[in-house]
Amino acid sequence: MRGTKFLMGILCIIAWNTNAQQDNNWYFGRMAGLNFSNGRPVAITNSKMTTMEGSAAISSQNGDLRFYTNGIYVWNKNNQIMPHGSDLLGDQSTTQSAIIIQKPGQKDRYYIFAADDAGGPNGLTFSEVDMTADGGKGDVISKNTRLITPVTEKIAAVQHFNGIDVWVTTHQWGSNAFYSYKVTAAGVSTTPVISYAGLVVNGADNSGHYAGWMSFSPNGTRIAMANGLFAAELFDFDAATGIVSNAVTVKSPAECYGVEFSPNSKLLYLSSDNKIYQYQVNAPNVAQSQIEVGKIDVASSLKLGPDSKIYVVHKYLAKSLSVINYPDVVGTGCNLVYEAVDLGGKETFVGLPNFMTTPFYVLDIKMASDCSDTAVYFTATTTMDSDTVLWDFGDGNTSTSLNVTHTYAKTGIYVVKAKAKRGTSTRYYTKTITVLKAPVAIQPADMITCGNEESAAVFHLSDQDAAILGEQQAVNYLVSYHISLSDAETGNNPLPNNYTVNTGSQTLYARVYSDTGICYAVTSFKLTVASKPIIDMKDSYGYCQGSSIILLAPAGMDSYLWSTGETTPSVRIDKAGTYTLTVTKKTGATVCETTKSITVHESYQPVIKDIEVNEWTSNNNSITIITEGEGDYEYSIDGSNYQESNVFNQLVPGQYKVIVREKNGCGFTEDKVVLLMYPKYFTPNGDGFHDTWQVDNAYYDPKMIVYIFDRYGKLLTSFKGNTPGWDGTFNGNKLPATDYWFIVHRSNGKEYKGHFAMMR
């Protein structure tokens, strides 16, 4: 093996084989290079072959193994090397080391196309096998006819547009050329159709760019190619001319190996970077349609089987295969299942057998019902019209009608199988179905739920499921809820289980259906929000020391319950504490309740502890009243207007009557406050205006003493609050016009300082 493409290892050939010992066994017949048993791949019993990557196998139309190869040796059905079946010019480390093509029009002649690995000198060759030789065990009658060299490790084949001949296509190493060889009843045409498209595939011997699969789409119109660490590409293919064109780079750079199309040819799968990606081949930008559908341990082979499933090698030396069950489904719904097929002790390294792509596949088993009984209408949807279909309905009954209605004797789970044939191609499809009686939607009772403070309520819709289903089993039928009848009938816009109604009533529609969604029934019911009772009471009440208080709840409730045990609308309280009241109100049979906590405290006559003042401004003074004792107090500074706050702001100088009273009538207390201010100047000129200087409102504090100083700190005079003030003289002499300073000693002990101007 050239280069360092893969670790060395041994692979016992994995092929697909069918067992046709009984007429009712499900087998696919001949599918070039693939054999199936009951529609699943199995290891060839007692295989003598080892290979790291490529292999090919062929069976009879009855599913019996005829021969297999790794591109170097050819073994017959008895696991013996055929006469002349050695030294073919393929390689066990070529991605697609070989492919077997039946010679058109001859059931016992086959061509083995083989490719060298890593762009080696042997290139693409073909040999011919005659199965009538050696007692029907076969003989290689011609060997190693060279077609082109060097090539990448790719050989793919697809049916010609005429439905008879076959195209065998490879890719040249070191260029962007595709070589398509036509196989007809006359043999292999050695004159290829050459197309130049896409990227030039080249690199060093150990680059690995030559590795990776090439696959045709089942409809024969597309071809995909993985180029190792280089890139993966998608092309158009003309099955009439063999021309490859219109290259699209799907992923680059990437560690790409396996490529395969879905049965409907609309999706492409790629194993790359230890993941399996899905692409929509008709998307405006194929690369951007990438969806990761699974993770694998190695970027390895993907192959579409005749059962319309894609088989996956998910890790080195695996003893099982993984499978994509529904490859026509966009996204992870394609259902990649790991280790789904046991290989009976055999192992696969990275390869799967290579075989020709044919355009006939069963895409699905479609079902319909008249929704009245257990009669089900079946049809097999295929990529091409079937000639015949053999149905097995899973209950012991069969049919050969292309489209058939089958009535089951009882409900249950059944495995339905379709064996479809078109020409010499046979395909199987299996689908598990659940047969149910037509669903019935029983009208449930309306739902009434108590609203919250905002009159909204949350309804748990699934609480209605049991009543709507009745005796129908929840495992078989689903219930969804909808705002409108049209949504319920179509199944659109289902509501969440926790559904909020803001106020009043609303009608909802319930849809009962099976998980197939074919049949359904609809019923309706009403949601009503019952009003929650409102307890319109204060959070806190007080009573005077040594007395009690009566708490009176709102009238009109259906029941009252106090935490004291009383069940009357009112209760007398004579002890401080926190009490609860629960009231209920009925709407039909629904009872809504509300609970409120109420604090009751004992109140005392207020005591003024202190009065804080901020003064000496013309209109921005304040009073803060500090009290002692517990109670609901309110405050006033004029005896008429009361407020909750004990702070009064933006006050002008003057005398204020401070009153604190208890709201529940438990008494009051009062005091007086004087806010002072001083004149900024005075004019002692004898005109009768501002002839003396005195603190404003000083007469309210007659014991107050005012001291006047000159600029040098000399005491000029002093006087009390109940005097006219200073006339601007000292010892009978007029003092000059200038600034003077003062100190005020209040009767409450507070002291204030400032200065003013004398103007003459």
Side-chain angles (χ1 to χ4, degrees), residues 166 226 295 310 383 449:
V166 175
K295 299 183 186 299
I310 293 178
T383 52
T449 298

Side-chain angles (χ1 to χ4, degrees), residues 160-171:
H160 190 281
F161 184 77
N162 61 22
I164 299 172
D165 301 329
V166 175
W167 289 109
V168 176
T169 301
T170 189
H171 192 280

Side-chain angles (χ1 to χ4, degrees), residues 157-465:
V158 69
Q159 199 169 61
H160 190 281
F161 184 77
N162 61 22
I164 299 172
D165 301 329
V166 175
W167 289 109
V168 176
T169 301
T170 189
H171 192 280
Q172 188 176 36
W173 172 245
S175 79
N176 67 339
F178 288 85
Y179 284 70
S180 295
Y181 296 89
K182 189 176 181 180
V183 182
T184 68
V188 178
S189 172
T190 57
T191 301
V193 174
I194 304 174
S195 307
Y196 297 93
L199 302 172
V200 173
V201 182
N202 58 13
D205 283 352
N206 62 354
S207 67
H209 294 173
Y210 38 73
W213 278 74
M214 175 191 291
S215 293
F216 281 101
S217 62
N219 64 9
T221 64
R222 299 292 183 98
I223 190 169
M225 183 171 70
N227 299 315
L229 300 176
F230 184 33
E233 297 178 276
L234 175 67
F235 306 85
D236 288 342
F237 183 77
D238 189 334
T241 64
I243 293 175
V244 179
S245 61
N246 297 329
V248 173
T249 299
V250 176
K251 193 171 180 64
S252 177
E255 183 184 344
C256 306
Y257 190 83
V259 287
E260 187 57 286
F261 290 89
S262 60
N264 65 9
S265 302
K266 294 180 180 180
L267 300 176
L268 174 67
Y269 291 83
L270 171 66
S271 65
S272 174
D273 303 326
N274 291 352
K275 298 175 182 177
I276 296 180
Y277 295 108
Q278 180 195 83
Y279 301 87
Q280 298 179 48
V281 299
N282 295 319
N285 188 315
V286 177
Q288 290 183 4
S289 71
Q290 173 181 290
I291 299 174
E292 180 185 331
V293 298
K295 299 183 186 299
I296 52 179
D297 291 343
V298 57
S300 56
S301 298
L302 309 173
K303 193 60 184 174
L304 177 64
D307 59 352
S308 300
K309 300 179 180 181
I310 293 178
Y311 290 85
V312 181
V313 177
H314 59 279
K315 63 181 179 180
Y316 290 123
L317 301 177
K319 298 182 184 299
S320 62
L321 296 180
S322 297
V323 63
I324 300 174
N325 282 306
Y326 312 112
D328 285 332
V329 175
V330 176
T332 55
C334 65
N335 187 227
L336 171 62
V337 178
Y338 296 98
E339 300 181 351
V341 180
D342 183 76
L343 296 177
K346 303 295 183 178
E347 292 179 336
T348 180
F349 192 59
V350 294
L352 286 174
N354 191 18
F355 55 89
M356 184 179 79
T357 299
T358 57
F360 176 60
Y361 278 93
V362 179
L363 302 180
D364 197 2
I365 295 174
K366 297 294 185 182
M367 302 173 298
S369 173
D370 63 2
C371 300
S372 62
D373 52 27
T374 53
V376 183
Y377 174 77
F378 292 99
T379 183
T381 60
T382 59
T383 52
M384 301 176 70
D385 291 339
S386 305
D387 295 331
T388 62
V389 177
L390 173 60
W391 295 96
D392 181 340
F393 301 113
D395 62 351
N397 294 295
T398 62
S399 174
T400 57
S401 299
L402 291 177
N403 304 307
V404 61
T405 297
H406 178 65
T407 300
Y408 288 88
K410 59 181 180 179
T411 61
I413 299 174
Y414 298 92
V415 178
V416 179
K417 301 175 182 178
K419 174 185 176 183
K421 296 189 68 176
R422 178 182 173 86
T424 60
S425 298
T426 304
R427 297 288 183 274
Y428 279 80
Y429 198 90
T430 301
K431 190 167 190 175
T432 301
I433 69 167
T434 301
V435 177
L436 302 170
K437 289 288 187 180
V440 176
I442 301 171
Q443 186 168 29
D446 294 336
M447 300 181 78
I448 302 177
T449 298
C450 298
N452 57 24
E453 288 76 5
E454 289 77 32
S455 298
V458 177
F459 293 84
H460 304 291
L461 301 181
S462 60
D463 292 346
Q464 296 283 68
D465 287 2

